[in-house]
Amino acid sequence: MLRVVGDRLSEWAQQETKLADFFARSAFNRYYYDSFLQVRELLRTLNIGGRKPSHSQAPRFLADHVLKEVRKSLKKARKSNLIDDAHKEELERNASAALVALSQVLTQARNLRVVADYEPEVSVKRSEDIFTLNETTLQSAGNWPRTTNKLVEVVWNCLLYTSDAADEED
């Protein structure tokens, strides 16, 4: 939902002259928060030890703890014969690639959000309708939520076979 707000702010930035910098900065912010909240929902649903990582910790948490949980769940699914070895390995590769990519998106988005929010001396550059902050275009930032959504789906798809196995083993 925050992506929609970011899109509107981006449109306003294109229409404005005096306030374009502020609208663009706010759009970068909204795109980050859309992505972060999707990741937070994934983590909340997985409930890994009841932990809630901070903004700065979330990317590392994905790459470490979430991948560990996915592997553990897939091992249980394999042990319960819900998947075979080849499928388990494929799902592990898919989850690992998605979590690494998700971690990278979140890191890039967070770093840019910090600049947008706390470093007004770093100007948003405008060339016609293209806004750029630290070499990242607003259009590129607008893809963060969509990319995050696709990567979160990959993680969920890797866990489709695991809920029954996890229930049996616990």
Side-chain angles (χ1 to χ4, degrees):
M1 184 58 71
L2 291 175
R3 180 188 56 78
V4 175
V5 175
D7 290 345
R8 179 57 63 136
L9 289 163
S10 180
E11 289 170 18
W12 289 344
Q14 291 174 12
Q15 297 166 5
E16 279 287 332
T17 52
K18 292 180 183 177
L19 300 174
D21 183 86
F22 297 106
F23 284 129
R25 286 176 185 280
S26 294
F28 280 110
N29 178 293
R30 296 298 88 190
Y31 292 139
Y32 163 74
Y33 274 103
D34 188 294
S35 295
F36 176 77
L37 291 175
Q38 289 182 63
V39 168
R40 190 177 78 178
E41 179 62 18
L42 170 69
L43 297 175
R44 186 190 65 75
T45 305
L46 291 176
N47 192 25
I48 300 170
R51 295 172 63 186
K52 286 185 182 179
S54 67
H55 289 267
S56 62
Q57 295 170 334
R60 189 84 185 138
F61 195 84
L62 287 168
D64 292 343
H65 300 284
V66 175
L67 184 56
K68 182 178 176 183
E69 285 298 312
V70 169
R71 285 184 173 143
K72 189 165 86 174
S73 294
L74 290 172
K75 184 177 180 182
K76 289 178 183 179
R78 176 62 192 112
K79 196 173 184 181
S80 300
N81 290 320
L82 295 173
I83 55 176
D84 61 22
D85 286 333
H87 199 190
K88 176 184 169 283
E89 289 172 16
E90 177 187 1
L91 291 170
E92 278 185 13
R93 280 192 306 274
N94 291 347
S96 179
L99 289 165
V100 166
L102 198 51
S103 178
Q104 291 169 344
V105 168
L106 214 53
T107 298
Q108 178 194 13
R110 180 184 172 275
N111 289 343
L112 202 62
R113 193 265 311 169
V114 168
V115 172
D117 288 352
Y118 301 112
E119 299 179 24
E121 68 278 4
V122 177
S123 64
V124 175
K125 293 175 178 43
R126 181 178 189 172
S127 176
E128 296 183 26
D129 285 340
I130 298 173
F131 293 86
T132 307
L133 182 61
N134 276 5
E135 314 223 358
T136 299
T137 65
L138 194 51
Q139 182 181 13
S140 175
N143 289 324
W144 295 334
R146 290 177 198 85
T147 300
T148 299
N149 183 267
K150 289 177 184 175
L151 294 169
V152 167
E153 276 186 35
V154 169
V155 174
W156 282 124
N157 287 336
C158 292
L159 293 169
L160 281 176
Y161 301 95
T162 64
S163 62
D164 292 338
D167 291 343
E168 289 174 17
E169 296 289 325
D170 289 338

